Amino acid sequence: MTPSCLPTALATAPAKSLHTASFLTKNGRSSLRCPLLVSQTRFLGAVSTHVARRTLFASHSLPVSASSACKHQPQLEEAHLHDSDGVPTSHVKLLNWVGAQQALLEPQSVHWCDGSQEEYDKLVGELVEKGAMIPLNSKLRPGSYLTRTDPTDVARSEDSTFICSRHQIDAGPTNNWTDPQEMRGELEKSFRGSMRGRTMYVIPFNMGPIGSPLARVGVQVTDSPFVVINMRIMTRIGQPVLDVLGNDKEFVPCVHSVGKPLEPGEKDVLWPCNISQRKVVHFPESREIWSFGSGYGGNSLLGKKCLALRIASVMARDEGSLAEHMLILGLTSPEGKKHYVAAAFPSACGKTNLAMLQPTLPGWKVQVIGDDINWMKFNPKDSRLYAINPEAGFFGVAPGTSDKTNPNAMETIRKNTVFTNVALTEEGDVWWEGMTKARPQGKVVNWKGEVWNPSMGDQGTPLAHPNSRFTVPLDQCPAKDPAWDDPNGVPISAIIFGGRRETTVPLVFQAKDWNHGVLVGATVASEKTAAAEGNDLGRLRFDPFAMLPFAGYNMGDYFNHWLSMPGRVQDPSKLPKIFHVNWFRKDAEGSFMWPGFGENSRQSSSCRVLKWIVDRLEHPEDSSLYTPTPIGFVPKPESLDLSGIEHLVDDEVMEKLLTVDTKAYLTEVEKARTYFKRFGDRFPAKLTKELDSLQHRLLNNFGVRND
């Protein structure tokens, strides 16, 4: 077993192992005496004896900064590190941390990921040979593969996700909390030896364009080659990231294991996992992420929700920036003027469709920066918020995606895509509910690996899991914005909130000012979707800022952080304007009233709402565009461009879509008051004042003022 502080010499691995590295011994002993650990090692990191030792957790008894996981462990001599060709970095803290993980996890070997095509092809080839990845028809989906997870490992696990801050109040009432020392004890038991018989992959990854001042670096160790494959798509990985780290820059340490060690001679399963022991744990003060037992997306791709939102939101709070669950798109008018817009929607409520919108309004163009994560930081020179998408790919929900609802997404996934838990057709292509009106002809294999044919009807359906996914490089998207990977980010003109609301909430309205906009974000609510586990799909729940499962600290403090933004810039008037949209209003018969993401999405009617938002940005004083209402500025029906869809949205429908029902909204206010009580004295007084003002306007039917 390898020491938790590395020996002073590191061996060069065989060429075929692609940076697989282990630790040389001298005369059967480690070449560096380490007081934390006494053990014997041999080439390729295989364990020869098991001895008692202190663990990595002991070095975390006090809060430490990111990347200081081995802060209290003996440091390597830098001169010796430069002589080691088998490990592609001389970052001492990183090497110490990786060594500590090898000691804890006891892998058979260690592989430093370089992010090359050769490495990707090798890992994919191994999983294909194992049967865990299925090559698709190369003529229909070149370079693409299908994977089926264990039927119990299909979604984010909010019930087993923890924010282990030092004090429970700092995690807040919306997060699961366990005392950090108690949790470390549990993790010690779970992770000890969890990679026996497997390879430990070391993935240096960059969230954001390489070299961006808004980007952050993480390093993940994992025993899942499937995770490596997907991390290569979703982030920037490998040597360029190590070059950014240099010898001493900070990184977020991430540890992942599927939790299924292999004994000698034991045959592996196609999808190893340990769901009964699943945990996804965040330590915000030390910026650590530990995930055990699941191989599924957000539970195992630790750069995604874990770092990009839960840990990054804590870092953003401390630094005065924002890390949000938001898409970013560029809107260009026929006159060539461009605005960048951010939008927050709960999962599976249309973010990807909106981000890749194909407008049919003459001269308008919509281009995507990102469909899920948004990191924003103020530029002191112009007081504007600049945003990057920290991801490099799409992790999209497959069901409902079609040439009709999202043609840009369908074009993006025509090649070099990894599909998870969708159906496999007789022709060797993929299929899911909503891709076509009719199910495929011939034999189909559903997401569980069961054969289905048309004569079976609904038996064996759905053919694709409701949360089945595709992972694909963003660079393949035909609608990508030229600035999608600009390291400087793009300036945000507007922020849009929305949810799946069948009643009450109008099609679109604008908040009267920033603080009112924060209240709008804090009261986002939506029917629960299949992206999270549970049997209560469709139940309405508050999802403030679409961050309910993702804020890494007390949501009351999170609200206060948003309220602090005007005080962080010289010119608060340059802050983005805030809007709310609702594409999902239904009529008495249960049909969608606005033709946005349904059968008529070819008309791209949601672009007409975006056009109104741009009009408000460019002509804030034009009273012909809006009606002041108690909840904000609502469009006048004639201010929305309905050319080409008049037959779908008549005057009566428009009146219903834009009417503010004060009685219904007063009920919403009371629901919000009840919800906000859970935050106790952490709930900002400024938001209470905003809620009181909204109630006063509703009771008296006062419209907001265009200050």
Side-chain angles (χ1 to χ4, degrees), residues 274-288:
N274 188 352
I275 297 303
S276 66
Q277 299 299 315
R278 177 176 55 188
K279 298 181 187 70
V280 183
V281 182
H282 311 73
F283 296 98
E285 286 87 5
S286 54
R287 317 295 203 232
E288 297 170 77

Side-chain angles (χ1 to χ4, degrees), residues 625-661:
L625 293 172
Y626 65 87
T627 298
T629 76
I631 68 165
F633 303 105
V634 174
K636 291 184 177 179
E638 61 272 18
S639 68
L640 285 165
D641 187 342
L642 303 180
S643 56
I645 62 168
E646 300 94 333
H647 62 294
L648 299 172
V649 189
D650 58 27
D651 292 344
E652 182 181 355
V653 169
M654 285 307 304
E655 182 180 356
K656 291 179 180 178
L657 283 169
L658 299 177
T659 295
V660 176
D661 185 336

Side-chain angles (χ1 to χ4, degrees), residues 247-270:
N247 295 327
D248 57 3
K249 289 189 173 62
E250 296 293 304
F251 64 93
V252 176
C254 310
V255 182
H256 168 255
S257 174
V258 296
K260 292 287 285 186
L262 291 173
E263 299 303 323
E266 181 182 357
K267 185 178 180 181
D268 200 5
V269 296
L270 291 181

